[in-house]
Amino acid sequence: MSRGRRRARRSVPRRPASAFESLEPRPLLAVLASVVSGELRISFTPSSTVPEQIARLSSNGTNYTVRNTNNVPVGTFAVATTMSITVTGSTGADRLELPASGTQPITAPLRVATTIETTVIAKPLTAVSGGVEIGSQAITLAAAVTTPDSQTYAGNVVLGVGAAVRTTCANARVRFEGLVSGPAGTTLEIDSLGASTLLGGLGGPARLVKRGSGGLDVTNAGAFAAGATGDAGEVRVRQATGLGSGPLTSGAAGRMRLDVGAAR
């Protein structure tokens, strides 16, 4: 073949457009985080196909780190300039975790919207200002929560295995709106100066301890099998079985009163 003659190109038959597989649209899996005017805002991308999306919030004392479902960091934010934390989501199965692996407590007030299905607090939260408002329907408490202002837990609360969980409000009250339960060896301590409430009752072989001078209303029947202790403040029980079947004890500054029939 002479050098001047060009080599013929091999033709490749084209596939018709209908022969290619259509691309299925895939949802964007993302946890978003940003700071706006001192508020750390964590949110989820809506998805109807993902079983559960997770945002994990941890602190090393200098920075907060937010990680996504795959545990990949999506943002780092200075603790010193973060005045509050707000978590919002879609109507899907979203989950917020404060994992025990964090080296330092979360020190900002926390608000979790009702659209976040599950909240897990496995690392202490010690807010220097404000309070805590957890709107999730499923809540796990496995670490202490300390705030100067009120704490509200909207959903059912399960205490972490083997944990003595202490909720402390220096100037306000603690309000549990759902059932609080825990396995054997767990203790729920409520330490408040305000009028605290257990609206949903108590369940499981756990123990209740009341501290602080504020009162505590137990409005529903309960089944705590390990008993209750009133070290300080008055515990008012609105149902005859409100404190379950375990032993009841009171400290020098504590009092327990059965007030069946009183307005809730």
Side-chain angles (χ1 to χ4, degrees):
M1 181 181 295
S2 63
R3 293 185 180 180
R5 184 179 299 177
R6 294 184 180 180
R7 183 177 298 178
R9 293 184 180 180
R10 184 180 179 183
S11 63
V12 178
R14 295 185 178 182
R15 297 174 62 185
S18 59
F20 290 94
E21 296 181 359
S22 61
L23 294 178
E24 180 182 351
R26 297 184 179 181
L28 177 65
L29 309 184
V31 173
L32 308 177
S34 62
V35 171
V36 179
S37 300
E39 178 185 57
L40 173 54
R41 299 177 180 178
I42 303 171
S43 61
F44 296 83
T45 299
S47 172
S48 60
T49 60
V50 181
E52 184 177 57
Q53 295 192 70
I54 304 172
R56 298 179 175 92
L57 173 65
S58 61
S59 172
N60 62 5
T62 301
N63 295 308
Y64 292 123
T65 299
V66 179
R67 291 178 170 84
N68 65 11
T69 308
N70 298 320
N71 213 33
V72 176
V74 298
T76 300
F77 310 93
V79 169
T81 56
T82 301
M83 301 297 102
S84 63
I85 302 169
T86 299
V87 185
T88 57
S90 61
T91 57
D94 299 329
R95 177 184 178 99
L96 171 70
E97 293 183 359
L98 274 57
S101 57
T103 60
Q104 296 295 323
I106 303 300
T107 56
L110 174 66
R111 184 178 68 84
V112 180
T114 57
T115 50
I116 305 300
E117 186 177 59
T118 304
T119 295
V120 177
I121 299 178
K123 191 69 180 179
L125 190 155
T126 307
V128 296
S129 64
V132 165
E133 183 179 348
I134 309 295
S136 302
Q137 292 307 301
I139 303 167
T140 297
L141 281 181
V145 179
T146 304
T147 61
D149 294 335
S150 297
Q151 299 177 25
T152 300
Y153 303 89
N156 293 332
V157 173
V158 176
L159 305 177
V161 176
V165 178
R166 187 166 186 168
T167 57
T168 303
C169 281
N171 305 310
R173 53 98 178 127
V174 180
R175 180 181 176 89
F176 289 95
E177 298 181 351
L179 174 70
V180 180
S181 62
T186 57
T187 301
L188 172 64
E189 300 183 11
I190 298 178
D191 185 352
S192 63
L193 299 182
S196 297
T197 308
L198 280 167
L199 285 175
L202 308 167
R207 180 169 173 259
L208 172 68
V209 176
K210 173 64 181 69
R211 307 185 191 278
S213 59
L216 172 63
D217 268 10
V218 182
T219 63
N220 274 332
F224 262 28
T229 299
D231 281 350
E234 182 178 76
V235 178
R236 293 176 294 276
V237 185
R238 307 299 192 184
Q239 298 283 342
T241 58
L243 292 178
S245 58
L248 305 179
T249 58
S250 292
R255 178 185 178 189
M256 293 193 180
R257 182 174 61 156
L258 181 60
D259 199 0
V260 176
R264 295 184 182 181

